[in-house]
Amino acid sequence: MSSPSRPAEPGHRPTAADYYAVNRGGGLFSEAVSQRIGAQLAVFAYRNRLSPTVMTIGNLGIGCLTSFVVIAAAGPVAAGSGFGWLVGLLALLGWQLAYAFDCSDGQLARVTGQTSAAGGRLDVLCDVAVQSALVAALSATAKAQEPDTPAWLLAAFAATWMVNLVTSVMQHGEQASSMVTSRSLPVRAVKLVRDYGAVIAVAGVLLTVAPQWTVWFVALFTLVNGGFLAASIAFAGRAALRG
């Protein structure tokens, strides 16, 4: 929320299209779904005089509460309780709604001219809290479903997941760069594997229909994010050597 913006003209009530026009993308799924829902939430916030900070806190509350429920239910679901699908559905909807709130706060701030350094810091800190809780929820589910899941895998999953957040923050500002700049549909489809909106959608569906496979989700995304981290280091290192 800290980037420069062009405030809405006096007397003009911004529409969902106005908010969507200043979205920060995030990937094919995020742009097509999460950012559009975020634009609708921004319209609601503007009409009800809610600040971008309120939307940021909404992301924090919904995201963390959803993950806490998943953590609390991990044991009973693994033991065969019949409400496992309900917990998964809650995760699917709750995480998506939290992310939509996260999309909306920046859209609202940029369109209404309410951007600030403090708001930007709060946004990032809340993202860290929400994603930390989400990683804990997936790790707890994997461990409950497969008690033999090695501790090193869960630790590596948590560490490499943060690559998503760090690289997202690094995509803004003077030092922003991308290893693959093409926006062709095939390239963007491949990038879905690191599209936060798409990833949490897959995680939610998995918890709904097959929570016993969560450990494989954890292993796969540890490899994906670990590989992306290695590639990013090599990309940045080459650029630094070239001066």
Side-chain angles (χ1 to χ4, degrees), residues 47-124:
R47 289 175 177 172
N48 290 275
R49 301 180 183 277
L50 302 179
S51 70
T53 297
V54 171
M55 308 308 283
T56 301
I57 298 302
N59 166 40
L60 176 67
I62 296 170
C64 288
L65 179 61
T66 299
S67 294
F68 293 160
V69 171
V70 173
I71 292 170
V77 169
S81 297
F83 59 85
W85 66 270
L86 186 59
V87 174
L89 185 60
L90 172 66
L92 175 62
L93 298 178
W95 287 335
Q96 287 295 328
L97 181 59
Y99 183 41
F101 267 81
D102 186 35
C103 295
S104 73
D105 63 2
Q107 294 177 0
L108 180 64
R110 287 186 286 275
V111 170
T112 60
Q114 298 180 69
T115 59
S116 69
R121 286 193 297 272
L122 178 64
D123 190 20
V124 171

Side-chain angles (χ1 to χ4, degrees), residues 97-181:
L97 181 59
Y99 183 41
F101 267 81
D102 186 35
C103 295
S104 73
D105 63 2
Q107 294 177 0
L108 180 64
R110 287 186 286 275
V111 170
T112 60
Q114 298 180 69
T115 59
S116 69
R121 286 193 297 272
L122 178 64
D123 190 20
V124 171
L125 291 172
C126 287
D127 285 346
V128 170
V130 170
Q131 294 195 32
S132 295
L134 185 147
V135 166
L138 293 173
S139 298
T141 301
K143 187 67 175 178
Q145 292 287 335
E146 295 288 345
D148 293 332
T149 301
W152 66 262
L153 175 59
L154 299 181
F157 174 61
T160 56
W161 182 278
M162 287 300 104
V163 174
N164 288 318
L165 187 58
V166 172
T167 53
S168 176
V169 172
M170 292 174 64
Q171 285 304 307
H172 308 296
E174 296 180 356
Q175 303 302 316
S177 63
S178 176
M179 291 186 293
V180 182
T181 57

Side-chain angles (χ1 to χ4, degrees), residues 224-237:
V224 168
N225 290 324
F228 182 80
L229 175 60
S232 297
I233 291 173
F235 176 79

